[in-house]
């Protein structure tokens, strides 16, 4: 099958790749570009492990075609830390031990960051609703929710 040449921006860098028309953005990120932080849990839009930002919107990369990235801006978990400095959400996930196997963690972090950029002071209920599309089969959700609320407080405090 023919490969399509696609030009996009990922974590602020101009990126070009070739992909087949049926390839998902998740497959492109992981298999063609080596950005394996985004995980595949279900490949059907149900688990949120593949969450990325596409033109500022939270999406499941398993439901987006690679060719749809043409001319768009993508943010992945690889762009979340500032060099060696972790994002407060990443720090709080570590402090609260809000992960075990880590498969769900990049998706939770991307989704939580999207929430805090929209609403820096969400209630616990709002965090739980916002993250309802992200599934974890290991940790239990309470530590994750605590980590997000703690990170929000730290970001608000500057
Ligand atoms: S792998 Fe995309 S939502 Fe589960
Ligand atoms: S830490 Fe294993 S799925 Fe969430």
């Amino acid at each position: 099958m023919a490969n399509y040449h696609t030009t996009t921006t990922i974590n602020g860098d101009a990126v070009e790749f070739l992909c087949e028309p049926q390839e998902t953005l998740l497959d492109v990120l992981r298999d063609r570009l080596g950005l394996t932080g985004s995980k595949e849990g279900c490949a059907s839009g149900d688990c949120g492990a593949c969450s990325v930002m596409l033109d500022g919107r939270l999406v499941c990369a398993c439901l987006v075609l690679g060719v749809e990235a043409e001319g768009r801006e993508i943010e992945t978990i690889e762009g979340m830390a500032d060099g060696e400095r972790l994002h407060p959400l990443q720090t709080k996930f570590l402090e609260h031990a809000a992960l075990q196997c880590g498969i769900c963690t990049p998706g939770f972090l991307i989704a939580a960051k999207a929430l805090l950029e929209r609403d820096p002071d969400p209630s616990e209920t709002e965090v739980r609703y916002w993250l309802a599309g992200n599934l974890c089969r290991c940790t239990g959700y309470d530590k994750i929710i605590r980590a997000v609320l703690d990170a929000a407080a730290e970001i608000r405090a500057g």
Side-chain angles (χ1 to χ4, degrees):
M1 197 171 291
N3 275 323
Y4 284 75
H5 178 255
T6 305
T7 303
T8 188
T9 303
I10 302 179
N11 300 326
D13 294 328
V15 173
E16 297 177 45
F17 58 83
L18 295 171
C19 71
E20 296 184 358
Q22 80 281 4
E23 272 185 79
T24 67
L25 176 59
L26 181 60
D27 287 340
V28 168
L29 290 172
R30 291 181 56 82
D31 301 338
R32 291 190 181 267
L33 301 177
L35 296 171
T36 55
S38 305
K39 304 297 188 228
E40 182 177 282
C42 66
S44 57
D46 293 312
C47 75
C50 64
S51 298
V52 300
M53 300 301 287
L54 182 65
D55 285 347
R57 278 188 57 207
L58 182 63
V59 300
C60 294
C62 70
L63 298 182
V64 177
L65 292 173
V67 292
E68 291 182 280
E70 175 65 36
R72 318 281 289 273
E73 295 206 7
I74 297 164
E75 292 170 54
T76 72
I77 190 65
E78 285 84 356
M80 195 160 176
D82 181 9
E84 294 291 304
R85 204 176 58 165
L86 295 179
H87 187 280
L89 278 162
Q90 294 172 304
T91 305
K92 293 302 179 186
F93 266 59
L94 289 171
E95 285 180 13
H96 287 263
L99 65 151
Q100 287 186 43
C101 80
I103 292 289
C104 69
T105 310
F108 268 105
L109 288 168
I110 290 286
K113 181 167 177 276
L115 169 62
L116 298 188
E117 285 172 355
R118 287 167 60 113
D119 178 0
D121 192 12
S123 67
E124 178 178 336
T125 301
E126 287 167 335
V127 174
R128 288 185 183 275
Y129 269 101
W130 183 267
L131 296 178
N134 292 81
L135 305 183
C136 175
R137 64 184 180 181
C138 302
T139 302
Y141 295 91
D142 282 347
K143 291 178 180 176
I144 293 170
I145 304 302
R146 299 279 161 258
V148 173
L149 290 169
D150 203 5
E154 181 170 297
I155 292 169
R156 286 197 306 278

